[in-house]
Amino acid sequence: MPTVTGVSERRKPARRPTRVEPVQLNFVMAPSFHSSTLLALLLNNHPDISCLGDTLPHRRRFPNQRCGCLQRVRDCPFWQEVSRGLDADRFVDSDHMIPAYPQVVKNWRVNPYLARGLAASSLALGPWVWNVAPRASREFLDTFLRFSEIVCELQGTRIFVNNVKSFTSLLSLRSLLVDRAEIRNLHHGRDPRGYHFSEKKSYPDITPAVSARHWRDYHGRVEWLRRYTVTDGYLRVRYEDLCADGEGTMAKICTFLGAEPHPVCGPVAFPEKNHVLGNTSRLAFDGTIRQSLAWQEVLSAEDEKTLLSATRPLSEMCGYG
């Protein structure tokens, strides 16, 4: 850097510490079978927003998964550029392209439990808990933040929406960033009866009682997470509202995320951004939003009663009943 003429090095005023602006972390919190892939496609239709559906390509569960551009992830230029920018080859022991949470140990079966325990402990005891795994926690934080930067750089956007669905990921980021993070949770709900019907298509032996427990446990934890968001950092959105009034619901979501409302309910608007991962229905998305109500004809009155009674009072609070 050139020296400024007429100012001696000795007499330069001391540099003030740079003020670090809080990082805004945007999460879509929804379990499987809630049509969160549809929400990701609509968010991605906004010129200022990037949302990648399931967010991180899987290494183990779906090694040959197909990108929204119809290519395999391993052949997709976008994902290869992301991988190179993150030096993702160093994470061969991770379930995903990069760790969804700190990689405390190399054993991919044990690591989720250790990371979950550390994340929960750090919220109660403080971020010093991560000193147990300083390298892993620092690497996770730096890599995940850089990941969102690379995605926005490649897609020409300014808002990244994380749809990884992992409580451990969110809690790890929150505890490591301490007060440098503004957490915004977009809570995506669905009628527990419709959820059970969709879950049963993948797991035919699942009972209404088990589905109800899954629904209640997940959404109950999202409600609990509200304490870790900033003021006005929580928005509940229902799948049914998205189907009934797509543009109105999406306008609320855009405003919540800090983006100007923009028409998004239509087919893929930016093919160069269409690298969404998730349900295979995304590959044939034509912009039409159809609410799935098949459960009304299939579920018995007894099954419906079980699902609603086992999820109260949370389901009633969400407007189901």
Short mmCIF file of all heavy atoms in Angstrom, two decimals, residues 161-227:
data_model
loop_
_atom_site.label_atom_id
_atom_site.label_comp_id
_atom_site.label_asym_id
_atom_site.label_seq_id
_atom_site.Cartn_x
_atom_site.Cartn_y
_atom_site.Cartn_z
N VAL A 161 -30.47 -18.95 1.98
CA VAL A 161 -31.41 -19.62 2.86
C VAL A 161 -30.99 -21.07 3.01
O VAL A 161 -30.94 -21.82 2.03
CB VAL A 161 -32.86 -19.53 2.32
CG1 VAL A 161 -33.82 -20.24 3.27
CG2 VAL A 161 -33.27 -18.07 2.15
N ASN A 162 -30.69 -21.46 4.23
CA ASN A 162 -30.20 -22.79 4.55
C ASN A 162 -31.39 -23.71 4.84
O ASN A 162 -32.18 -23.44 5.74
CB ASN A 162 -29.29 -22.68 5.78
CG ASN A 162 -28.60 -23.99 6.11
OD1 ASN A 162 -29.07 -25.06 5.75
ND2 ASN A 162 -27.48 -23.90 6.79
N ASN A 163 -31.48 -24.79 4.08
CA ASN A 163 -32.59 -25.72 4.26
C ASN A 163 -32.08 -27.11 4.66
O ASN A 163 -32.64 -28.12 4.28
CB ASN A 163 -33.40 -25.82 2.94
CG ASN A 163 -34.78 -26.40 3.15
OD1 ASN A 163 -35.27 -26.50 4.25
ND2 ASN A 163 -35.42 -26.80 2.06
N VAL A 164 -30.98 -27.12 5.44
CA VAL A 164 -30.34 -28.38 5.76
C VAL A 164 -31.15 -29.22 6.76
O VAL A 164 -30.91 -30.40 6.93
CB VAL A 164 -28.91 -28.13 6.29
CG1 VAL A 164 -28.94 -27.62 7.71
CG2 VAL A 164 -28.04 -29.36 6.16
N LYS A 165 -32.12 -28.61 7.44
CA LYS A 165 -33.04 -29.30 8.36
C LYS A 165 -32.39 -29.81 9.65
O LYS A 165 -33.01 -30.51 10.43
CB LYS A 165 -33.74 -30.49 7.69
CG LYS A 165 -34.54 -30.18 6.44
CD LYS A 165 -35.29 -31.40 5.96
CE LYS A 165 -36.16 -31.12 4.75
NZ LYS A 165 -35.37 -31.03 3.52
N SER A 166 -31.15 -29.49 9.88
CA SER A 166 -30.42 -30.05 11.02
C SER A 166 -30.40 -29.10 12.21
O SER A 166 -29.88 -27.99 12.12
CB SER A 166 -28.98 -30.37 10.60
OG SER A 166 -28.18 -30.66 11.72
N PHE A 167 -30.95 -29.56 13.33
CA PHE A 167 -30.88 -28.78 14.56
C PHE A 167 -29.43 -28.64 15.02
O PHE A 167 -29.03 -27.60 15.52
CB PHE A 167 -31.70 -29.45 15.66
CG PHE A 167 -33.18 -29.30 15.49
CD1 PHE A 167 -33.92 -30.29 14.90
CD2 PHE A 167 -33.82 -28.15 15.92
CE1 PHE A 167 -35.29 -30.16 14.73
CE2 PHE A 167 -35.19 -28.01 15.76
CZ PHE A 167 -35.92 -29.01 15.16
N THR A 168 -28.66 -29.71 14.87
CA THR A 168 -27.26 -29.67 15.28
C THR A 168 -26.49 -28.61 14.51
O THR A 168 -25.66 -27.89 15.07
CB THR A 168 -26.60 -31.04 15.09
OG1 THR A 168 -27.36 -32.03 15.77
CG2 THR A 168 -25.17 -31.05 15.62
N SER A 169 -26.76 -28.49 13.22
CA SER A 169 -26.10 -27.46 12.40
C SER A 169 -26.45 -26.07 12.88
O SER A 169 -25.56 -25.22 13.10
CB SER A 169 -26.51 -27.63 10.93
OG SER A 169 -25.90 -26.65 10.13
N LEU A 170 -27.74 -25.82 13.08
CA LEU A 170 -28.18 -24.50 13.52
C LEU A 170 -27.60 -24.15 14.90
O LEU A 170 -27.05 -23.06 15.10
CB LEU A 170 -29.70 -24.44 13.56
CG LEU A 170 -30.36 -23.09 13.83
CD1 LEU A 170 -31.79 -23.08 13.29
CD2 LEU A 170 -30.42 -22.76 15.32
N LEU A 171 -27.68 -25.07 15.85
CA LEU A 171 -27.21 -24.80 17.20
C LEU A 171 -25.70 -24.64 17.24
O LEU A 171 -25.17 -23.83 18.00
CB LEU A 171 -27.65 -25.91 18.14
CG LEU A 171 -29.16 -26.04 18.38
CD1 LEU A 171 -29.45 -27.20 19.32
CD2 LEU A 171 -29.74 -24.75 18.95
N SER A 172 -24.99 -25.40 16.40
CA SER A 172 -23.54 -25.26 16.35
C SER A 172 -23.15 -23.88 15.83
O SER A 172 -22.28 -23.20 16.40
CB SER A 172 -22.93 -26.35 15.46
OG SER A 172 -23.18 -27.63 15.97
N LEU A 173 -23.78 -23.45 14.76
CA LEU A 173 -23.50 -22.13 14.20
C LEU A 173 -23.83 -21.04 15.22
O LEU A 173 -23.07 -20.09 15.41
CB LEU A 173 -24.30 -21.91 12.92
CG LEU A 173 -23.80 -22.66 11.68
CD1 LEU A 173 -24.84 -22.63 10.57
CD2 LEU A 173 -22.49 -22.07 11.17
N ARG A 174 -24.98 -21.18 15.87
CA ARG A 174 -25.40 -20.16 16.82
C ARG A 174 -24.43 -20.06 17.99
O ARG A 174 -24.04 -18.95 18.40
CB ARG A 174 -26.80 -20.50 17.36
CG ARG A 174 -27.32 -19.51 18.39
CD ARG A 174 -27.53 -18.15 17.74
NE ARG A 174 -27.96 -17.14 18.70
CZ ARG A 174 -27.13 -16.41 19.45
NH1 ARG A 174 -25.83 -16.60 19.35
NH2 ARG A 174 -27.60 -15.51 20.26
N SER A 175 -24.00 -21.19 18.53
CA SER A 175 -23.13 -21.14 19.69
C SER A 175 -21.73 -20.68 19.34
O SER A 175 -21.08 -19.99 20.12
CB SER A 175 -23.08 -22.52 20.36
OG SER A 175 -22.55 -23.50 19.47
N LEU A 176 -21.24 -21.03 18.14
CA LEU A 176 -19.90 -20.63 17.75
C LEU A 176 -19.82 -19.15 17.41
O LEU A 176 -18.81 -18.49 17.64
CB LEU A 176 -19.44 -21.47 16.55
CG LEU A 176 -19.08 -22.92 16.87
CD1 LEU A 176 -18.99 -23.75 15.61
CD2 LEU A 176 -17.76 -22.99 17.63
N LEU A 177 -20.89 -18.60 16.84
CA LEU A 177 -20.91 -17.19 16.48
C LEU A 177 -21.29 -16.29 17.65
O LEU A 177 -21.13 -15.07 17.58
CB LEU A 177 -21.89 -16.96 15.32
CG LEU A 177 -21.37 -17.41 13.95
CD1 LEU A 177 -22.51 -17.52 12.95
CD2 LEU A 177 -20.32 -16.45 13.43
N VAL A 178 -21.82 -16.87 18.70
CA VAL A 178 -22.24 -16.14 19.91
C VAL A 178 -23.17 -15.00 19.49
O VAL A 178 -24.17 -15.22 18.84
CB VAL A 178 -21.01 -15.64 20.71
CG1 VAL A 178 -21.46 -15.24 22.12
CG2 VAL A 178 -19.94 -16.71 20.81
N ASP A 179 -22.81 -13.74 19.85
CA ASP A 179 -23.70 -12.62 19.53
C ASP A 179 -23.41 -12.01 18.17
O ASP A 179 -23.95 -10.96 17.82
CB ASP A 179 -23.61 -11.54 20.62
CG ASP A 179 -22.19 -11.02 20.81
OD1 ASP A 179 -21.27 -11.56 20.15
OD2 ASP A 179 -21.99 -10.07 21.59
N ARG A 180 -22.55 -12.66 17.37
CA ARG A 180 -22.29 -12.17 16.02
C ARG A 180 -23.29 -12.72 15.02
O ARG A 180 -23.18 -12.47 13.82
CB ARG A 180 -20.88 -12.53 15.58
CG ARG A 180 -19.79 -11.79 16.35
CD ARG A 180 -18.46 -11.84 15.62
NE ARG A 180 -17.94 -13.19 15.49
CZ ARG A 180 -17.69 -13.80 14.33
NH1 ARG A 180 -17.97 -13.19 13.19
NH2 ARG A 180 -17.19 -15.01 14.29
N ALA A 181 -24.27 -13.48 15.50
CA ALA A 181 -25.22 -14.11 14.59
C ALA A 181 -26.64 -13.64 14.85
O ALA A 181 -27.07 -13.54 15.99
CB ALA A 181 -25.16 -15.63 14.73
N GLU A 182 -27.35 -13.35 13.77
CA GLU A 182 -28.79 -13.10 13.83
C GLU A 182 -29.48 -14.29 13.20
O GLU A 182 -29.39 -14.51 11.99
CB GLU A 182 -29.16 -11.82 13.08
CG GLU A 182 -28.69 -10.54 13.75
CD GLU A 182 -29.25 -9.29 13.08
OE1 GLU A 182 -29.87 -9.43 12.00
OE2 GLU A 182 -29.07 -8.20 13.63
N ILE A 183 -30.12 -15.10 14.02
CA ILE A 183 -30.78 -16.30 13.55
C ILE A 183 -32.21 -15.97 13.13
O ILE A 183 -32.96 -15.36 13.89
CB ILE A 183 -30.82 -17.40 14.64
CG1 ILE A 183 -29.40 -17.72 15.11
CG2 ILE A 183 -31.51 -18.65 14.13
CD1 ILE A 183 -28.52 -18.37 14.10
N ARG A 184 -32.58 -16.37 11.92
CA ARG A 184 -33.96 -16.22 11.45
C ARG A 184 -34.47 -17.59 11.05
O ARG A 184 -33.92 -18.23 10.15
CB ARG A 184 -34.04 -15.23 10.29
CG ARG A 184 -33.66 -13.81 10.70
CD ARG A 184 -33.87 -12.79 9.59
NE ARG A 184 -33.54 -11.46 10.09
CZ ARG A 184 -34.39 -10.67 10.73
NH1 ARG A 184 -35.63 -11.08 10.93
NH2 ARG A 184 -34.01 -9.49 11.16
N ASN A 185 -35.54 -18.02 11.71
CA ASN A 185 -36.11 -19.35 11.46
C ASN A 185 -37.43 -19.22 10.71
O ASN A 185 -38.38 -18.62 11.20
CB ASN A 185 -36.37 -20.08 12.79
CG ASN A 185 -35.10 -20.59 13.41
OD1 ASN A 185 -34.11 -20.79 12.72
ND2 ASN A 185 -35.12 -20.80 14.71
N LEU A 186 -37.46 -19.81 9.55
CA LEU A 186 -38.69 -19.92 8.77
C LEU A 186 -39.25 -21.31 9.05
O LEU A 186 -38.73 -22.32 8.55
CB LEU A 186 -38.39 -19.72 7.29
CG LEU A 186 -39.55 -19.76 6.31
CD1 LEU A 186 -40.58 -18.69 6.65
CD2 LEU A 186 -39.05 -19.56 4.89
N HIS A 187 -40.26 -21.37 9.89
CA HIS A 187 -40.82 -22.64 10.36
C HIS A 187 -41.90 -23.10 9.38
O HIS A 187 -42.98 -22.51 9.31
CB HIS A 187 -41.40 -22.44 11.76
CG HIS A 187 -41.92 -23.68 12.39
ND1 HIS A 187 -42.51 -23.70 13.64
CD2 HIS A 187 -41.94 -24.97 11.96
CE1 HIS A 187 -42.87 -24.92 13.93
NE2 HIS A 187 -42.55 -25.71 12.92
N HIS A 188 -41.61 -24.16 8.63
CA HIS A 188 -42.51 -24.64 7.58
C HIS A 188 -43.31 -25.83 8.11
O HIS A 188 -42.75 -26.90 8.39
CB HIS A 188 -41.68 -25.05 6.36
CG HIS A 188 -42.50 -25.39 5.16
ND1 HIS A 188 -43.50 -24.59 4.69
CD2 HIS A 188 -42.45 -26.46 4.32
CE1 HIS A 188 -44.02 -25.13 3.60
NE2 HIS A 188 -43.41 -26.28 3.37
N GLY A 189 -44.61 -25.65 8.30
CA GLY A 189 -45.46 -26.69 8.87
C GLY A 189 -46.35 -27.35 7.84
O GLY A 189 -46.54 -26.87 6.73
N ARG A 190 -46.93 -28.47 8.26
CA ARG A 190 -47.89 -29.19 7.44
C ARG A 190 -48.83 -29.96 8.35
O ARG A 190 -48.45 -30.40 9.44
CB ARG A 190 -47.18 -30.17 6.49
CG ARG A 190 -48.13 -30.85 5.51
CD ARG A 190 -47.43 -31.83 4.60
NE ARG A 190 -48.35 -32.38 3.63
CZ ARG A 190 -48.04 -33.33 2.74
NH1 ARG A 190 -46.81 -33.83 2.72
NH2 ARG A 190 -48.95 -33.77 1.89
N ASP A 191 -50.06 -30.13 7.93
CA ASP A 191 -51.06 -30.88 8.69
C ASP A 191 -50.50 -32.26 9.03
O ASP A 191 -50.00 -32.97 8.14
CB ASP A 191 -52.33 -31.02 7.84
CG ASP A 191 -53.52 -31.53 8.63
OD1 ASP A 191 -53.38 -32.58 9.29
OD2 ASP A 191 -54.59 -30.89 8.58
N PRO A 192 -50.53 -32.65 10.30
CA PRO A 192 -49.97 -33.96 10.67
C PRO A 192 -50.63 -35.13 9.95
O PRO A 192 -50.01 -36.18 9.76
CB PRO A 192 -50.19 -34.04 12.18
CG PRO A 192 -51.22 -33.00 12.49
CD PRO A 192 -51.05 -31.93 11.47
N ARG A 193 -51.87 -34.95 9.50
CA ARG A 193 -52.54 -36.02 8.76
C ARG A 193 -51.94 -36.17 7.36
O ARG A 193 -51.70 -37.29 6.89
CB ARG A 193 -54.05 -35.74 8.70
CG ARG A 193 -54.71 -35.79 10.07
CD ARG A 193 -56.10 -35.17 10.07
NE ARG A 193 -56.05 -33.72 9.83
CZ ARG A 193 -57.10 -32.92 9.92
NH1 ARG A 193 -58.30 -33.43 10.25
NH2 ARG A 193 -56.99 -31.62 9.71
N GLY A 194 -51.69 -35.05 6.71
CA GLY A 194 -51.03 -35.09 5.40
C GLY A 194 -49.60 -35.58 5.52
O GLY A 194 -49.09 -36.30 4.65
N TYR A 195 -48.94 -35.20 6.62
CA TYR A 195 -47.58 -35.65 6.86
C TYR A 195 -47.53 -37.17 7.00
O TYR A 195 -46.67 -37.84 6.41
CB TYR A 195 -47.05 -34.98 8.13
CG TYR A 195 -45.79 -35.60 8.68
CD1 TYR A 195 -44.57 -35.45 8.03
CD2 TYR A 195 -45.83 -36.35 9.86
CE1 TYR A 195 -43.41 -36.01 8.54
CE2 TYR A 195 -44.67 -36.91 10.38
CZ TYR A 195 -43.46 -36.75 9.72
OH TYR A 195 -42.33 -37.31 10.22
N HIS A 196 -48.45 -37.72 7.78
CA HIS A 196 -48.47 -39.18 7.96
C HIS A 196 -48.72 -39.89 6.63
O HIS A 196 -48.07 -40.90 6.33
CB HIS A 196 -49.56 -39.57 8.96
CG HIS A 196 -49.80 -41.05 9.03
ND1 HIS A 196 -48.86 -41.95 9.45
CD2 HIS A 196 -50.92 -41.79 8.69
CE1 HIS A 196 -49.35 -43.18 9.39
NE2 HIS A 196 -50.59 -43.11 8.93
N PHE A 197 -49.63 -39.37 5.84
CA PHE A 197 -49.93 -40.01 4.55
C PHE A 197 -48.69 -40.04 3.66
O PHE A 197 -48.38 -41.06 3.03
CB PHE A 197 -51.06 -39.24 3.85
CG PHE A 197 -51.38 -39.75 2.48
CD1 PHE A 197 -52.12 -40.92 2.31
CD2 PHE A 197 -50.93 -39.09 1.34
CE1 PHE A 197 -52.40 -41.40 1.04
CE2 PHE A 197 -51.22 -39.56 0.07
CZ PHE A 197 -51.95 -40.73 -0.08
N SER A 198 -47.93 -38.93 3.63
CA SER A 198 -46.72 -38.87 2.81
C SER A 198 -45.62 -39.77 3.38
O SER A 198 -44.91 -40.46 2.64
CB SER A 198 -46.21 -37.44 2.71
OG SER A 198 -47.11 -36.64 1.98
N GLU A 199 -45.49 -39.78 4.70
CA GLU A 199 -44.47 -40.60 5.33
C GLU A 199 -44.76 -42.09 5.10
O GLU A 199 -43.84 -42.90 4.89
CB GLU A 199 -44.39 -40.31 6.82
CG GLU A 199 -43.20 -40.93 7.52
CD GLU A 199 -43.08 -40.53 8.98
OE1 GLU A 199 -44.11 -40.28 9.62
OE2 GLU A 199 -41.94 -40.49 9.47
N LYS A 200 -46.03 -42.43 5.10
CA LYS A 200 -46.41 -43.84 4.94
C LYS A 200 -46.09 -44.36 3.54
O LYS A 200 -45.87 -45.56 3.35
CB LYS A 200 -47.91 -44.00 5.24
CG LYS A 200 -48.34 -45.45 5.47
CD LYS A 200 -49.76 -45.52 5.95
CE LYS A 200 -50.19 -46.95 6.19
NZ LYS A 200 -49.40 -47.61 7.26
N LYS A 201 -46.06 -43.47 2.55
CA LYS A 201 -45.70 -43.90 1.19
C LYS A 201 -44.25 -44.38 1.13
O LYS A 201 -43.92 -45.25 0.32
CB LYS A 201 -45.94 -42.75 0.20
CG LYS A 201 -47.42 -42.50 -0.07
CD LYS A 201 -47.63 -41.57 -1.23
CE LYS A 201 -47.24 -40.15 -0.90
NZ LYS A 201 -47.60 -39.20 -2.00
N SER A 202 -43.39 -43.80 1.97
CA SER A 202 -42.00 -44.23 2.01
C SER A 202 -41.76 -45.33 3.03
O SER A 202 -40.86 -46.16 2.87
CB SER A 202 -41.09 -43.04 2.32
OG SER A 202 -41.13 -42.09 1.29
N TYR A 203 -42.57 -45.32 4.10
CA TYR A 203 -42.43 -46.31 5.17
C TYR A 203 -43.80 -46.94 5.43
O TYR A 203 -44.54 -46.51 6.35
CB TYR A 203 -41.89 -45.65 6.44
CG TYR A 203 -40.59 -44.92 6.22
CD1 TYR A 203 -40.58 -43.53 6.06
CD2 TYR A 203 -39.38 -45.60 6.14
CE1 TYR A 203 -39.38 -42.84 5.85
CE2 TYR A 203 -38.18 -44.93 5.92
CZ TYR A 203 -38.19 -43.55 5.78
OH TYR A 203 -37.02 -42.87 5.56
N PRO A 204 -44.17 -47.94 4.64
CA PRO A 204 -45.54 -48.50 4.69
C PRO A 204 -45.98 -49.01 6.05
O PRO A 204 -47.18 -49.03 6.34
CB PRO A 204 -45.47 -49.64 3.66
CG PRO A 204 -44.36 -49.27 2.73
CD PRO A 204 -43.35 -48.57 3.58
N ASP A 205 -45.05 -49.42 6.88
CA ASP A 205 -45.41 -50.00 8.18
C ASP A 205 -45.57 -48.97 9.29
O ASP A 205 -45.92 -49.34 10.43
CB ASP A 205 -44.36 -51.04 8.61
CG ASP A 205 -44.31 -52.23 7.67
OD1 ASP A 205 -45.35 -52.56 7.07
OD2 ASP A 205 -43.22 -52.83 7.53
N ILE A 206 -45.33 -47.71 9.00
CA ILE A 206 -45.38 -46.71 10.06
C ILE A 206 -46.82 -46.49 10.51
O ILE A 206 -47.76 -46.49 9.71
CB ILE A 206 -44.73 -45.38 9.60
CG1 ILE A 206 -44.36 -44.54 10.81
CG2 ILE A 206 -45.64 -44.60 8.65
CD1 ILE A 206 -43.37 -43.44 10.51
N THR A 207 -47.01 -46.31 11.79
CA THR A 207 -48.35 -46.14 12.35
C THR A 207 -48.66 -44.67 12.59
O THR A 207 -47.73 -43.83 12.67
CB THR A 207 -48.47 -46.88 13.70
OG1 THR A 207 -47.58 -46.26 14.64
CG2 THR A 207 -48.12 -48.35 13.53
N PRO A 208 -49.92 -44.29 12.68
CA PRO A 208 -50.27 -42.90 12.99
C PRO A 208 -49.62 -42.40 14.27
O PRO A 208 -49.20 -41.25 14.36
CB PRO A 208 -51.80 -42.93 13.09
CG PRO A 208 -52.21 -44.07 12.22
CD PRO A 208 -51.14 -45.09 12.38
N ALA A 209 -49.53 -43.26 15.28
CA ALA A 209 -48.95 -42.84 16.56
C ALA A 209 -47.47 -42.48 16.40
O ALA A 209 -46.99 -41.50 16.99
CB ALA A 209 -49.11 -43.96 17.59
N VAL A 210 -46.74 -43.25 15.62
CA VAL A 210 -45.32 -42.97 15.41
C VAL A 210 -45.14 -41.70 14.59
O VAL A 210 -44.30 -40.85 14.90
CB VAL A 210 -44.62 -44.17 14.73
CG1 VAL A 210 -43.19 -43.81 14.35
CG2 VAL A 210 -44.63 -45.38 15.65
N SER A 211 -45.94 -41.55 13.52
CA SER A 211 -45.87 -40.32 12.73
C SER A 211 -46.19 -39.10 13.59
O SER A 211 -45.55 -38.04 13.47
CB SER A 211 -46.84 -40.38 11.55
OG SER A 211 -46.34 -41.16 10.50
N ALA A 212 -47.18 -39.23 14.45
CA ALA A 212 -47.56 -38.12 15.32
C ALA A 212 -46.40 -37.74 16.24
O ALA A 212 -46.16 -36.55 16.49
CB ALA A 212 -48.79 -38.49 16.14
N ARG A 213 -45.70 -38.75 16.75
CA ARG A 213 -44.57 -38.45 17.62
C ARG A 213 -43.45 -37.74 16.86
O ARG A 213 -42.86 -36.78 17.36
CB ARG A 213 -44.02 -39.75 18.24
CG ARG A 213 -42.93 -39.48 19.28
CD ARG A 213 -42.44 -40.74 19.95
NE ARG A 213 -41.65 -41.58 19.07
CZ ARG A 213 -42.02 -42.78 18.63
NH1 ARG A 213 -43.19 -43.28 18.98
NH2 ARG A 213 -41.23 -43.49 17.85
N HIS A 214 -43.18 -38.20 15.63
CA HIS A 214 -42.18 -37.53 14.81
C HIS A 214 -42.56 -36.06 14.58
O HIS A 214 -41.72 -35.16 14.71
CB HIS A 214 -42.05 -38.23 13.45
CG HIS A 214 -41.45 -39.60 13.53
ND1 HIS A 214 -41.48 -40.48 12.46
CD2 HIS A 214 -40.81 -40.24 14.54
CE1 HIS A 214 -40.87 -41.59 12.81
NE2 HIS A 214 -40.47 -41.48 14.07
N TRP A 215 -43.81 -35.84 14.21
CA TRP A 215 -44.29 -34.48 13.93
C TRP A 215 -44.18 -33.61 15.18
O TRP A 215 -43.67 -32.48 15.13
CB TRP A 215 -45.75 -34.55 13.45
CG TRP A 215 -46.31 -33.28 12.90
CD1 TRP A 215 -46.42 -32.94 11.59
CD2 TRP A 215 -46.87 -32.18 13.65
NE1 TRP A 215 -47.01 -31.70 11.46
CE2 TRP A 215 -47.29 -31.20 12.71
CE3 TRP A 215 -47.07 -31.93 15.01
CZ2 TRP A 215 -47.89 -30.01 13.09
CZ3 TRP A 215 -47.64 -30.74 15.39
CH2 TRP A 215 -48.05 -29.79 14.44
N ARG A 216 -44.67 -34.12 16.30
CA ARG A 216 -44.69 -33.34 17.54
C ARG A 216 -43.28 -33.03 18.02
O ARG A 216 -42.98 -31.90 18.43
CB ARG A 216 -45.44 -34.13 18.61
CG ARG A 216 -45.60 -33.38 19.94
CD ARG A 216 -46.22 -34.27 21.01
NE ARG A 216 -45.36 -35.39 21.34
CZ ARG A 216 -45.69 -36.67 21.17
NH1 ARG A 216 -46.86 -36.99 20.68
NH2 ARG A 216 -44.84 -37.64 21.50
N ASP A 217 -42.39 -34.01 17.96
CA ASP A 217 -41.03 -33.80 18.46
C ASP A 217 -40.29 -32.75 17.62
O ASP A 217 -39.62 -31.88 18.17
CB ASP A 217 -40.25 -35.12 18.45
CG ASP A 217 -40.74 -36.09 19.51
OD1 ASP A 217 -41.55 -35.68 20.36
OD2 ASP A 217 -40.32 -37.27 19.48
N TYR A 218 -40.41 -32.85 16.31
CA TYR A 218 -39.68 -31.91 15.45
C TYR A 218 -40.21 -30.49 15.62
O TYR A 218 -39.46 -29.55 15.89
CB TYR A 218 -39.76 -32.34 13.99
CG TYR A 218 -38.84 -31.52 13.10
CD1 TYR A 218 -37.59 -32.01 12.76
CD2 TYR A 218 -39.20 -30.26 12.64
CE1 TYR A 218 -36.72 -31.26 11.98
CE2 TYR A 218 -38.34 -29.50 11.87
CZ TYR A 218 -37.10 -30.01 11.52
OH TYR A 218 -36.24 -29.26 10.76
N HIS A 219 -41.52 -30.32 15.48
CA HIS A 219 -42.07 -28.96 15.54
C HIS A 219 -42.00 -28.38 16.95
O HIS A 219 -41.88 -27.16 17.10
CB HIS A 219 -43.51 -28.97 15.01
CG HIS A 219 -43.58 -29.22 13.53
ND1 HIS A 219 -43.17 -28.30 12.61
CD2 HIS A 219 -44.02 -30.29 12.83
CE1 HIS A 219 -43.33 -28.79 11.39
NE2 HIS A 219 -43.85 -30.00 11.50
N GLY A 220 -42.03 -29.24 17.94
CA GLY A 220 -41.84 -28.75 19.31
C GLY A 220 -40.46 -28.18 19.50
O GLY A 220 -40.27 -27.15 20.17
N ARG A 221 -39.45 -28.82 18.91
CA ARG A 221 -38.08 -28.31 19.03
C ARG A 221 -37.90 -27.00 18.27
O ARG A 221 -37.16 -26.13 18.71
CB ARG A 221 -37.08 -29.36 18.51
CG ARG A 221 -36.80 -30.47 19.51
CD ARG A 221 -35.75 -31.42 19.00
NE ARG A 221 -36.27 -32.25 17.92
CZ ARG A 221 -35.53 -33.05 17.16
NH1 ARG A 221 -34.22 -33.10 17.34
NH2 ARG A 221 -36.08 -33.78 16.22
N VAL A 222 -38.59 -26.85 17.14
CA VAL A 222 -38.51 -25.59 16.41
C VAL A 222 -39.10 -24.46 17.24
O VAL A 222 -38.56 -23.34 17.29
CB VAL A 222 -39.22 -25.68 15.04
CG1 VAL A 222 -39.20 -24.32 14.34
CG2 VAL A 222 -38.57 -26.72 14.15
N GLU A 223 -40.22 -24.73 17.91
CA GLU A 223 -40.80 -23.73 18.79
C GLU A 223 -39.82 -23.36 19.91
O GLU A 223 -39.67 -22.19 20.27
CB GLU A 223 -42.11 -24.25 19.40
CG GLU A 223 -43.27 -24.31 18.43
CD GLU A 223 -43.79 -22.92 18.08
OE1 GLU A 223 -43.63 -21.99 18.90
OE2 GLU A 223 -44.35 -22.76 16.98
N TRP A 224 -39.13 -24.36 20.45
CA TRP A 224 -38.15 -24.12 21.50
C TRP A 224 -37.00 -23.23 21.00
O TRP A 224 -36.47 -22.40 21.73
CB TRP A 224 -37.61 -25.45 21.99
CG TRP A 224 -36.47 -25.35 22.96
CD1 TRP A 224 -36.55 -25.08 24.30
CD2 TRP A 224 -35.08 -25.54 22.67
NE1 TRP A 224 -35.29 -25.08 24.85
CE2 TRP A 224 -34.37 -25.36 23.88
CE3 TRP A 224 -34.38 -25.84 21.50
CZ2 TRP A 224 -32.99 -25.47 23.95
CZ3 TRP A 224 -32.99 -25.95 21.58
CH2 TRP A 224 -32.32 -25.76 22.79
N LEU A 225 -36.65 -23.38 19.72
CA LEU A 225 -35.54 -22.61 19.15
C LEU A 225 -35.84 -21.13 19.02
O LEU A 225 -34.93 -20.33 18.78
CB LEU A 225 -35.18 -23.17 17.77
CG LEU A 225 -34.37 -24.47 17.73
CD1 LEU A 225 -34.28 -24.99 16.31
CD2 LEU A 225 -32.98 -24.24 18.30
N ARG A 226 -37.09 -20.74 19.20
CA ARG A 226 -37.43 -19.33 19.05
C ARG A 226 -36.65 -18.45 20.02
O ARG A 226 -36.39 -17.28 19.73
CB ARG A 226 -38.94 -19.13 19.27
CG ARG A 226 -39.80 -19.76 18.21
CD ARG A 226 -41.28 -19.58 18.46
NE ARG A 226 -41.70 -18.19 18.28
CZ ARG A 226 -42.97 -17.79 18.20
NH1 ARG A 226 -43.93 -18.69 18.29
NH2 ARG A 226 -43.28 -16.54 18.04
N ARG A 227 -36.24 -19.00 21.14
CA ARG A 227 -35.50 -18.21 22.13
C ARG A 227 -34.13 -17.81 21.61
O ARG A 227 -33.49 -16.90 22.16
CB ARG A 227 -35.34 -18.99 23.42
CG ARG A 227 -34.38 -20.16 23.35
CD ARG A 227 -34.33 -20.95 24.64
NE ARG A 227 -35.57 -21.66 24.87
CZ ARG A 227 -35.82 -22.37 25.97
NH1 ARG A 227 -34.92 -22.42 26.93
NH2 ARG A 227 -36.96 -23.01 26.12
#
